[in-house]
Amino acid sequence: MYPDEGSKSAALYRRARGTVADGVSRATITMDPYPLYLRSARGARVVDVDGNELIDFNNNYTSLIHGHGRAEIVAAVNEQLAKGMAYSFGSEAEVELAELLCGRLPGDQRIRFCNSGSEAVMHAIKAARAYTGRGKIAKCEGAYHGSYDFAEVSLGVGPGAWGEPAAPAAAPYAAGTPQGVLDDVLPIPFNDGEAAERILAGHGDDLAAILIDPISSLVGMVGLQPEFLATVQGLAQRLGALLIFDEVVAFRLGLSGAQGGLGVTPDLTALGKIIGGGLPIGAVAGRAEVMAVFERQGGKARLPHGGTFNANPLTMVAGRTCMELMDPGAFDRLNRMGEELRRQLREAFALANAEGQVTGEGSLFRLHLHSRPMVNYRDAWMRAEESRRMAELHRHLLNAGLFLSPYGSGCLSTAMEDHDLSALADGVLGGLRALRE
Ligand SMILES: Cc1ncc(COP(=O)(O)O)c(C=O)c1O
C-alpha cells in the first residue's frame, strides 16, 4: 500500500535527495510523500521496484502513444543503435521523419527538430519574432507550454493573482522571472474572443504571435470553441501576428493533429512527445515562408538554431516507426476507446452519485471533482477542497493499480484493451464511493 516508508521506492527517494535537488528531475513526477521508482515497463503496464503492477494511464505524460516497449519501435532502435546513436552528420532517418510529419500537416510545411516540447515552443516563439520583427506574444491564461520563461507566464497562478476575468494578469510562475518577460506576454482568457479582441487590439505593432494549445490540460482539457478560434485567427491576420498551435500533446488527436480536426492551418506548430516514439524530441513545423527564418541567406540565418542532439538518428527511427504505426485505423481505434472510457467514467460519477465531470477528446481525459460549467482556466482551477479530494482519489487509484497524473488527467495507448478501460472506470467508482465515506 502507498505510502509505505519501508518500501524500496521510499528508500530510493531518501537516497536521491542526497544528490538530486528535490529527489527527481521533473516537477511533474513529484508525489508526496515520495514518488514511485520503476523496475520495468511493458505495454500498458509498469512494475515498481517493490513489485507493484500498475496500468499506466499517464504514458509518460501522453508521449507513449503505443505504451511501453512496442516491439517494432524497440527493433528499429536496436537496429539503429548498432549503426550509431548521435553524430555530427545528417541522417536519412531525419529526412524520413520530416517527410512523414510534413506530409500529415496541411500545406507546404518545413520542420526543424529539437529535443523537447519546451524547446519546440521556444523555437516557435523565436521564429515568430524573427519573422515579424516583433517581441510580444499572447498566450491563454494558465496554459502549460513547457519551461521557456515567456511560455511560463500566467502558469499555475492562483485566484489571488488572477486579475480581472477579461484581463488576466501576466503573473510570474518562477521566482526571478524578469519584468521584461512579463511585459512581453499578454495572457488572454481561453474561449473568450471578446476579451482577446480587447486585450490585443492595440498591439498591431508589437505582437509577434498568438500561442494556443487546442486542448490544454491545465485549462481543464475543455474544447476550443470555434468562435474563439475564428476570432483569434482573425485577430492574428489583422494584427500581422502569427498563429502558433502547441500540439505537443494535441498531435495525438488524429493523423493531422488537432488542426486537422479543426480545419485550421496555423503558421507554426510546436510538436513533441509522441513523434519521438518514446525518446526525447521536439519539433517546430510551419509554412515554408515562415520557416525560412531558419534558412541561411548570405551565410547566416535570421534565426540560427543549433542543438547537439537535434534529430539524432535514434530518436528519428523511433519516431518514424511510432508514427507509421499510427495510421488512420490506429487513430480511429484509439479515439473510439477514448470516447468509451469517458462514457464509462461519467457513468461511474452517476453510479457513485458524486459531484464531478469528465473532459477530454480523442485518447485524452481529465476528471474534475466539481460540476461548475467549464470553458477556461479559472473554471478548471481546483479549489482547496477539490485538491484534497483529488489527492485522495489519486491515492485510492494508485493502490488499486491504476496510474493517472496527480490532478486526474490521463491518456490511452494502443497497447490498451477494453478491460483496461473498465478497470479504470471500476477504480474511479470505488474511489468516489470511498470519498463519500
Ligand atoms: C502542451 C505542452 N506543451 C509543451 C510541453 C513541454 O514538453 P516537454 O516536457 O517535452 O518539454 C508540454 C509538456 O507536458 C505540454 O503538455
Side-chain angles (χ1 to χ4, degrees), residues 116-118 121 144-146 213 246 248-249 273 281:
S116 69
S118 298
V121 170
Y144 182 65
H145 295 284
D213 176 349
D246 178 349
V248 169
V249 172
K273 305 226 189 213
I281 196 164

Side-chain angles (χ1 to χ4, degrees), residues 44 70 97 103-104 108 117 119 202 214 219 222 231 268 277 299 303 308-309 317 330 374 396 408:
R70 171 89 180 221
L97 183 57
R104 290 187 179 188
D108 183 23
E119 277 182 71
V219 181
V222 296
T231 302
L268 291 164
L303 177 56
T308 304
F309 293 101
V317 298
M374 279 200 301
H396 175 96

